[in-house]
């Protein structure tokens, strides 16, 4: 299956957004220091590696106290385990960049694009899903946060790659050893960078498998519910923050830290939370309203929030079309899609309570945004439009 045109279009588009992201990080969000911190940390480490080759072994084995770097960076490595692991993952990209920020980010952007390519290859030319998913992967907010030197630019593309390998494992008639090996390897890498995204991916993948591979009957529905409940409990053993009784406390602490950082009235959405599931349930209606309908006009205060609002209003319009076609036109919506929308509503509300800043929320929601966007776009009727068919024919040439 020829993916060359689709891949080139995606690559050029993503590189353009990486340039835009770099400009925005420098000019607008001067407090967005993650990318520059990683660059500076790796610069110190590589200089240390050149002068003291043994530091390479010390760094990758976790013996940070003997490294020939600043004391502040040593303490950071000791405290921030996941960020330090991500820096280790970034080191090959940095070495290839010759200490150039833009080349560094370009390598990571290329890596992400290469992870998306196998996923797109799952759909043949005659299938409109390839172009639909290409459109989804080019959603502005999604692209903005999956390029450059940020954790999402590494983890989110890997999740798409994991889906590709998972699909091969499920569809393979014989044991596909290499797919299993690559799935476990990339799953481990992503887990140590952003464990909760991988946990959610595994949970959703399980639901997808149960919904699409098992025919429905009363007993099997009960069995599926039991497996899902056991999976939720099992996630708690994979990481303490995912435990059912700890999650309200995690959401409350995250909410408090976010509102401490973003003290402006337009920046932080007020929620009356405490460390209980009761407070979360009481705030759920408000959370769903803000998660899927904000930014509201009074929350628009600069160009970036205006663009975020325009994108979200487009999704509101697509949701209206989806509801209209489903109820009045009787269009077919699969069980998998309905379950997906239900989970997205649940997760979106929890997410905005944990991160009640519009800018932060637009970044963190990208883990479910592709599924949400695909369902809405797929049922919008766009696949039957003349311009869609022309673009599809051009990509297939």
């Amino acid at each position: 299956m020829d993916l060359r045109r689709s891949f080139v279009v995606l690559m050029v588009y993503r590189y353009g957004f990486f340039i835009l992201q770099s400009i925005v990080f420098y000019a607008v969000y001067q407090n967005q220091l993650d990318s520059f911190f990683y660059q500076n940390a790796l610069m110190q480490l590589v200089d240390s590696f050149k002068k003291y080759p043994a530091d390479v072994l010390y760094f990758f084995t976790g013996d940070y106290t003997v490294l020939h770097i600043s004391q502040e960076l040593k303490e950071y490595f000791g405290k921030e385990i996941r960020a330090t692991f991500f820096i280790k993952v970034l080191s090959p990209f940095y070495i290839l960049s010759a200490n150039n920020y833009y080349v560094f980010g370009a390598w990571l952007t290329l890596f992400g694009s290469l992870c998306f390519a196998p996923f797109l290859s799952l759909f043949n030319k005659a299938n409109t899903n390839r172009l639909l998913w290409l459109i989804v992967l080019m959603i502005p907010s999604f692209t903005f946060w999956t390029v450059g030197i940020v954790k999402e630019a590494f983890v989110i593309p890997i999740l798409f790659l994991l889906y590709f390998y998972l699909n091969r494992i499920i569809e393979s008639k014989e044991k596909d050893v290499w797919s299993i090996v690559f799935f476990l390897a990339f799953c481990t890498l992503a887990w140590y960078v952003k464990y909760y995204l991988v946990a959610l991916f595994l949970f959703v993948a399980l639901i997808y498998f149960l919904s699409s591979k098992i025919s429905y009957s009363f007993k099997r529905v009960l069995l599926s519910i039991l497996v899902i409940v056991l999976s939720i409990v099992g996630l708690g053993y994979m990481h303490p923050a995912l435990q059912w009784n700890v999650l309200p406390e995690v959401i409350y602490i995250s909410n408090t830290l976010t509102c401490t950082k973003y003290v402006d009235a337009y920046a932080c959405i007020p929620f009356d939370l405490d460390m209980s599931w009761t407070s979360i349930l009481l705030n759920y209606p408000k959370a769903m309203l803000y998660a899927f309908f904000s930014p509201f006009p009074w929350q628009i205060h600069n160009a970036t929030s205006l663009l975020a609002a325009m994108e979200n209003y487009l999704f509101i319009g697509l949701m209206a079309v989806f509801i209209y076609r489903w109820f009045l036109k009787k269009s077919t919506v699969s069980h998998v899609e309905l379950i997906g929308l239900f989970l997205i509503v649940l997760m979106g509300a929890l997410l905005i309570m944990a991160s009640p800043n519009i800018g932060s929320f637009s970044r963190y929601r990208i883990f479910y945004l592709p599924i949400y966007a695909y369902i809405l776009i797929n049922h919008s009727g766009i696949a039957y439009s003349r311009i869609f068919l022309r673009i599809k024919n051009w990509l297939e040439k």
Side-chain angles (χ1 to χ4, degrees):
M1 290 175 285
D2 192 353
L3 277 171
R4 285 177 294 180
R5 285 198 177 185
S6 299
F7 183 73
V8 169
V9 169
L10 184 63
M11 276 288 300
V12 172
Y13 185 81
R14 284 169 56 79
Y15 275 126
F17 263 83
F18 169 59
I19 295 171
L20 175 64
Q21 182 200 74
S22 302
I23 295 170
V24 171
F25 277 11
Y26 271 115
V28 181
Y29 295 113
Q30 296 179 7
N31 63 331
Q32 174 54 255
L33 301 177
D34 289 357
S35 302
F36 309 121
F37 171 77
Y38 299 143
Q39 167 89 357
N40 293 331
L42 283 163
M43 183 172 63
Q44 281 194 50
L45 285 168
V46 171
D47 288 343
S48 174
F49 295 162
K50 289 177 181 177
K51 296 176 182 177
Y52 309 96
D55 280 8
V56 177
L57 181 62
Y58 296 144
F59 176 63
F60 283 96
T61 56
D63 194 0
Y64 309 123
T65 57
V66 296
L67 293 175
H68 297 81
I69 55 177
S70 66
Q71 184 62 32
E72 183 182 0
L73 197 55
K74 291 179 185 179
E75 294 175 357
Y76 180 86
F77 288 161
K79 294 178 181 177
E80 301 294 335
I81 299 173
R82 287 190 291 126
T84 304
F85 181 82
F86 184 52
I87 290 173
K88 293 176 182 179
V89 171
L90 289 176
S91 55
F93 299 101
Y94 177 82
I95 292 170
L96 291 172
S97 71
N99 194 30
N100 184 294
Y101 175 84
Y102 295 100
V103 178
F104 187 16
W107 277 116
L108 204 59
T109 302
L110 174 62
F111 170 81
S113 303
L114 290 172
C115 288
F116 288 134
F119 172 79
L120 291 175
S121 71
L122 293 172
F123 311 104
N124 58 43
K125 288 183 179 181
N127 196 326
T128 58
N129 281 328
R130 180 188 291 185
L131 181 52
L132 287 175
W133 274 109
L134 185 63
I135 293 171
V136 169
L137 295 178
M138 295 172 69
I139 292 171
S141 63
F142 178 81
T143 306
F144 185 87
W145 290 113
T146 56
V147 297
I149 313 167
V150 293
K151 290 180 180 179
E152 289 82 0
F154 179 75
V155 175
I156 297 294
I158 283 182
L159 296 183
F160 279 82
L161 187 62
L162 289 178
Y163 178 86
F164 167 75
Y165 284 121
L166 182 63
N167 187 76
R168 288 188 61 175
I169 294 168
I170 293 172
E171 298 295 334
S172 177
K173 295 181 180 179
E174 299 178 357
K175 188 180 292 184
D176 192 340
V177 177
W178 283 112
S179 292
I180 295 172
V181 170
F182 284 126
F183 179 86
L184 293 176
F186 282 110
C187 191
T188 302
L189 281 175
W191 177 269
Y192 282 105
V193 178
K194 276 191 174 290
Y195 66 89
Y196 52 89
L197 292 186
V198 181
L200 287 169
F201 169 81
L202 295 174
F203 177 62
V204 172
L206 175 65
I207 293 175
Y208 165 75
F209 176 76
L210 293 173
S211 302
S212 60
K213 303 300 178 183
I214 300 176
S215 58
Y216 283 88
S217 68
F218 181 72
K219 291 182 179 179
R220 287 178 176 175
V221 168
L222 288 179
L223 178 62
S224 300
I225 293 172
L226 177 62
V227 172
I228 291 170
V229 170
L230 290 176
S231 300
I232 295 172
V233 175
L235 289 175
Y237 289 97
M238 296 175 73
H239 196 283
L242 296 174
Q243 292 181 11
W244 180 260
N245 60 327
V246 177
L247 191 57
E249 182 180 351
V250 173
I251 292 173
Y252 174 80
I253 293 172
S254 177
N255 179 283
T256 303
L257 290 174
T258 302
C259 289
T260 301
K261 184 177 180 181
Y262 302 102
V263 295
D264 297 316
Y266 63 77
C268 187
I269 303 165
F271 289 106
D272 186 18
L273 291 174
D274 55 37
M275 299 183 189
S276 69
W277 279 109
T278 302
S279 69
I280 289 176
L281 291 174
L282 291 174
N283 281 275
Y284 232 95
K286 180 179 180 181
M288 286 191 290
L289 181 68
Y290 275 91
F292 295 97
F293 295 96
S294 64
F296 297 109
W298 59 86
Q299 293 176 304
I300 299 172
H301 55 277
N302 56 27
T304 54
S305 58
L306 175 62
L307 292 174
M310 291 172 63
E311 180 183 284
N312 212 41
Y313 296 158
L314 177 61
F315 283 125
I316 293 171
L318 288 172
M319 176 57 79
V321 172
F322 171 82
I323 295 172
Y324 169 76
R325 289 173 62 87
W326 183 25
F327 281 99
L328 298 181
K329 295 293 184 178
K330 305 299 181 182
S331 62
T332 303
V333 181
S334 69
H335 292 293
V336 176
E337 290 172 324
L338 290 175
I339 292 172
L341 286 175
F342 175 72
L343 291 175
I344 285 167
V345 169
L346 290 180
M347 290 186 291
L350 287 175
L351 180 62
I352 203 164
M353 279 189 273
S355 183
N357 171 263
I358 297 300
S360 299
F361 175 72
S362 67
R363 175 180 180 176
Y364 297 140
R365 72 169 181 168
I366 63 170
F367 77 88
Y368 70 72
L369 184 62
I371 300 173
Y372 179 61
Y374 171 78
I375 294 173
L376 297 186
I377 294 172
N378 186 38
H379 290 278
S380 67
I382 190 176
Y384 305 103
S385 65
R386 185 176 299 177
I387 187 170
F388 182 92
L389 294 175
R390 284 183 178 179
I391 295 172
K392 180 176 177 291
N393 291 334
W394 178 78
L395 290 173
E396 291 173 357
K397 287 181 180 179

